[in-house]
Amino acid sequence: MDDTGELLSIGAFARQVGLAPSALRFYDDCGVLRPAQVDGATGYRRYAVDQAARALRLRRLREAGLSLVDVAVVLDGPQDAARDVLHEHLERLRRTTDEAHAVVAGFLSEVPGEATYGKGWARARVGGAELASAVRQVAPAAARGGAAQEFPVLGCVALELADGEVRLVATDRYRLAVRVLRPQEFAGGPRQVLIGADAARRLAEWAVRQVWVDVECGGETAGVRLRSGANGANGADWREVSEPVDTAGGGPDEGPQSKDLARFPDYRMVLQGLGAERHRLIVDRVALRDAVAGRSGAVSLSVPSRGGREAEGRQRAVSRETCDGWLDVSRETAAADPEIVQTLEVTGGVREPVRLRAVLTGSALRIAFDPAVLVPALEAGVGPDVLMEIASADRPVVVRSADQGSFTTLVMPVRGAGSQR
């Protein structure tokens, strides 16, 4: 602090830094912003001009909701401590926002006449690579060939801007893929538009080269406009993707919106209608994909019961793990933990059975899938492990990353070897 510089009265300093005089007195009493001089006779406080920078930082931190204790750490503490305080405050803000969002959304759902997803303006900013990844994960679930010709809406990817999120959804009736993005900026909504699967893939090829992408769905306009972050200053630099035409027998294509285009399936109803899972199966994603790929007909996944030979099986698992380099699970852990490593057997088609290490919660498991449906779901996943949440052998199975929840696929099982979907 420069003691030889000009001193300002508390009123003049308050006007300069945007704080009330009463706030300056409070911060003096708390020790976070002491005046440069206090008149011993009158008690008048005077502030140096170079104290304005600290006062402005103090004001902004308080506006952001930090406590005075945390403010003091940020202003005067070590850099590591200041960084920790700021990260912790950001996390608290996120939790508070999420909780408030859930409460308001709950009440909003009870209000009659809530806005539909058909019209309305919405805009969001997302990372280009993130948008491209989402399209590549979701688009394989869209219908192709005869199914897309019969039901053109199923040959589309639904792009939805709602509740502060960007969601991409696709389904061919036998699987449903949903990816949720958290945008950097969001306004308006809710709004849902349909993009032909091929157009969505071309969009991904463009988006992956952009730092960020503005996504805008405007009012009565059909389709979506996208703007690259590389040319953000150029308001005319927009890419337009129109909603598909419901052409007779032609499948989805780019063009003006058709009033006859069928409504996209209500994926929320599907997700809400899922029964409570009886089994949770965790297994190496790539290993399971390789074990299922190349098989004809239905592929069976089974984990035998640990009933009559439970103790013997645990003993073998512990011995095998310690000898062959598997997970080092002790006898005590194996005896107490219902989720110890077990053996998942993959059978079907002309290939030999394949056995994989897996973690299963629940009783013995046996379920079958069409490889043409399960393999793309596994390929679209992220992370080394896949989590399968299974309610029953005839209900949709949730397939997602074991530790990342933003991408979810639902896959319909089949009845077993030789059955049809």
Side-chain angles (χ1 to χ4, degrees), residues 43-272:
Y44 289 166
R45 296 170 173 83
R46 295 187 179 278
Y47 293 83
V49 174
D50 62 4
Q51 287 185 278
R54 180 183 178 89
L56 290 171
R57 295 190 70 198
L58 169 59
R59 189 193 77 192
R60 294 180 64 191
L61 289 168
R62 292 290 285 167
E63 288 172 347
L66 272 77
S67 67
L68 280 177
V69 173
D70 288 344
V71 166
V73 174
V74 175
L75 293 178
D76 301 317
Q79 289 186 351
D80 289 346
R83 188 178 299 108
D84 290 343
V85 163
L86 293 171
H87 279 304
E88 290 170 3
H89 186 67
L90 278 177
E91 179 61 22
R92 284 195 299 271
L93 288 176
R94 185 196 63 78
R95 289 197 303 268
T96 301
T97 301
D98 288 347
E99 292 167 0
H101 179 275
V103 171
V104 173
F107 279 100
L108 187 60
S109 66
E110 300 172 2
V111 178
E114 182 178 359
T116 66
Y117 286 80
K119 298 180 180 180
W121 177 87
R123 184 172 181 175
R125 173 173 292 183
V126 295
E130 188 180 18
L131 177 60
S133 172
V135 171
R136 289 168 177 166
Q137 286 180 308
V138 169
R144 293 177 292 179
Q149 292 179 352
E150 183 178 1
F151 304 103
V153 70
L154 298 183
C156 299
V157 173
L159 173 65
E160 187 173 282
L161 280 70
D163 305 322
E165 297 177 340
V166 176
R167 306 176 192 131
L168 290 96
V169 189
T171 180
D172 62 358
R173 293 182 298 174
Y174 303 112
R175 46 186 175 144
L176 168 70
V178 182
R179 174 70 190 273
V180 178
L181 304 180
R182 303 285 186 179
Q184 302 171 29
E185 299 177 9
F186 189 94
R191 180 68 188 264
Q192 183 188 86
V193 298
L194 303 181
I195 302 174
D198 290 339
R201 293 185 183 96
R202 292 193 293 272
L203 166 63
E205 294 174 359
W206 169 79
V208 73
R209 299 189 296 270
Q210 317 304 324
V211 177
W212 52 259
V213 174
D214 277 335
V215 181
E216 181 178 282
C217 306
E220 299 294 331
T221 303
V224 61
R225 299 198 308 161
L226 303 106
R227 182 174 64 176
S228 164
N231 300 293
N234 185 354
D237 185 35
W238 289 91
R239 294 175 61 91
E240 296 196 11
V241 182
S242 299
E243 291 196 276
V245 174
D246 186 8
T247 54
D253 196 2
E254 293 181 73
Q257 182 184 25
S258 169
K259 295 181 180 179
D260 298 326
L261 189 67
R263 183 178 178 85
F264 193 80
D266 188 347
Y267 70 93
R268 300 173 200 79
M269 183 180 298
V270 176
L271 295 175
Q272 292 169 1

Side-chain angles (χ1 to χ4, degrees), residues 333-345:
T333 301
D337 190 349
E339 295 186 349
I340 65 168
V341 174
Q342 297 171 260
T343 300
L344 169 68
E345 187 172 66

